[in-house]
């Protein structure tokens, strides 16, 4: 086992509470598209309004399918998602904080997941405001509808017209901050540090920070250990080394 991988394994074995922070890198490498690639010439701000979805529900669904849903429900979790779920199952990972919307951590089997930007498992009806907490509503081949009134559903974090959107966003970020505040070891994986100034703001002074990313990021100067490698290779060694 490479010395850096062995050091990370040692850190994990020594830690009573380890939290992984994941970003877009672990999904884009395995088939997820960037939203702007799927939106194309459409105005992203406009398509996330209730008015647009009410008028164009299937077009909205097509964009979501192209950007997220095919990778979520057809390709499924990556090796990294599965490895992190296994670490949690073994009691070596307390939880995951992720910026990703795709629910792949949950599908892989992780149970303690904070999605600080929301996800497809938290949805709201654009007419009556009824909330739905099941990502499987997006796995039916068509635009999901509210069981109460039949209007289209949208991910709560996407719906710019939902009056509680900012409150939900604050609550989600607070959960991330609280989880990281309890950690003895934080492992950031496949993220360049999007909104890290918020979720790392209460990280304990003695908490170790490890970065796993093939490319340089803003974490380089503050991490106790930088591992320049693909995450799947690193965690395969940690689990099986």
């Amino acid at each position: 086992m490479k010395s850096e991988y062995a050091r990370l394994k040692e850190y994990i074995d020594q830690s009573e509470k380890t939290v992984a922070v994941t970003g877009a890198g672990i999904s884009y490498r395995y088939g997820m598209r960037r939203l702007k690639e799927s939106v194309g010439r459409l105005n992203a701000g406009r398509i996330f309004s209730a008015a647009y979805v009410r008028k164009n529900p299937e077009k909205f669904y097509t964009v979501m399918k192209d950007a997220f849903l095919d990778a979520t429900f057809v390709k499924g979790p990556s090796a990294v998602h599965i490895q992190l779920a296994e670490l949690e199952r073994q009691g070596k990972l307390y939880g995951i904080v992720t910026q990703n919307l795709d629910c792949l951590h949950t599908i892989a089997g992780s149970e303690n997941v904070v999605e600080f930007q929301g996800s497809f498992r938290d949805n709201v009806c654009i007419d009556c405001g009824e909330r739905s907490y099941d990502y499987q509503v997006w796995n039916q081949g068509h635009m999901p509808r509210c069981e109460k009134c039949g209007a289209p559903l949208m991910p709560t974090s996407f719906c710019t017209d939902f009056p509680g959107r900012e409150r939900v966003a604050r609550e989600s970020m607070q959960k991330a901050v609280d989880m990281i505040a309890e950690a003895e070891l934080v492992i950031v994986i496949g993220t360049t540090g999007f909104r890290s100034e918020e979720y790392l703001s209460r990280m304990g002074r003695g908490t170790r920070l490890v970065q796993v990313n093939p490319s340089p990021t803003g974490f380089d100067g503050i991490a106790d250990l930088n591992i320049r490698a693909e995450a799947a290779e690193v965690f395969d060694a940690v689990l099986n080394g």
Side-chain angles (χ1 to χ4, degrees):
M1 184 188 296
K2 292 183 179 179
S3 60
E4 291 175 329
Y5 302 178
R7 190 173 165 195
L8 174 57
K9 186 177 187 302
E10 180 182 345
Y11 284 174
I12 292 172
D13 290 342
Q14 293 172 348
S15 173
E16 292 293 326
K17 190 166 284 189
T18 297
V19 173
V21 178
T22 65
I26 71 166
S27 293
Y28 290 147
R29 290 181 181 277
Y30 297 94
M32 200 67 64
R33 296 191 67 188
R34 297 182 188 277
L35 182 60
K36 63 183 179 181
E37 295 173 2
S38 300
V39 171
R41 290 180 294 178
L42 294 173
N43 182 290
R46 182 167 63 90
I47 73 167
F48 293 138
S49 70
Y52 180 89
V53 173
R54 191 176 289 110
K55 187 177 180 180
N56 307 281
E58 294 308 319
K59 186 177 288 187
F60 179 83
Y61 175 78
T62 298
V63 171
M64 295 300 100
K65 183 176 184 294
D66 187 59
F68 301 105
L69 303 179
D70 281 347
T72 294
F73 295 116
V74 178
K75 295 183 179 178
S78 70
V80 183
H81 294 102
I82 294 168
Q83 289 161 340
L84 293 177
E86 177 61 18
L87 282 172
E88 182 180 343
R89 190 191 67 79
Q90 293 181 9
K92 296 180 179 181
L93 185 67
Y94 172 69
I96 295 170
V97 169
T98 186
Q99 71 187 61
N100 299 337
L101 309 167
D102 50 39
C103 299
L104 286 172
H105 285 299
T106 299
I107 294 171
S110 294
E111 296 184 1
N112 194 13
V113 181
V114 174
E115 298 151 325
F116 67 78
Q117 289 202 105
S119 77
F120 283 91
R121 65 174 172 174
D122 180 357
N123 302 285
V124 64
C125 173
I126 64 173
D127 280 356
C128 73
E130 185 79 0
R131 300 283 289 282
S132 169
Y133 298 95
D134 182 6
Y135 63 83
Q136 288 290 355
V137 299
W138 293 95
N139 191 23
Q140 304 174 83
H142 56 79
M143 187 69 182
R145 297 276 174 171
C146 175
E147 291 186 356
K148 185 176 180 180
C149 73
L153 297 176
M154 290 180 69
T156 304
S157 57
F158 282 9
C159 187
T160 57
D161 306 285
F162 176 53
R165 180 174 179 241
E166 291 186 5
R167 173 183 54 79
V168 171
R170 287 194 302 270
E171 290 173 352
S172 297
M173 179 56 76
Q174 189 59 53
K175 289 178 182 177
V177 171
D178 290 345
M179 184 183 287
I180 288 175
E182 298 177 2
E184 294 181 7
L185 172 64
V186 175
I187 309 172
V188 293
I189 309 160
T191 176
T192 57
F194 177 71
R195 297 183 69 181
S196 61
E197 69 282 358
E198 296 175 70
Y199 63 70
L200 294 183
S201 62
R202 283 181 50 207
M203 191 174 72
R205 183 169 295 180
T207 301
R208 284 172 167 157
L209 179 65
V210 174
Q211 174 180 224
V212 179
N213 201 317
S215 306
T217 75
F219 292 111
D220 288 10
I222 62 173
D224 296 280
L225 173 64
N226 284 298
I227 301 179
R228 292 276 184 264
E230 294 290 345
E233 176 185 318
V234 175
F235 289 103
D236 179 67
V238 168
L239 284 165
N240 301 307

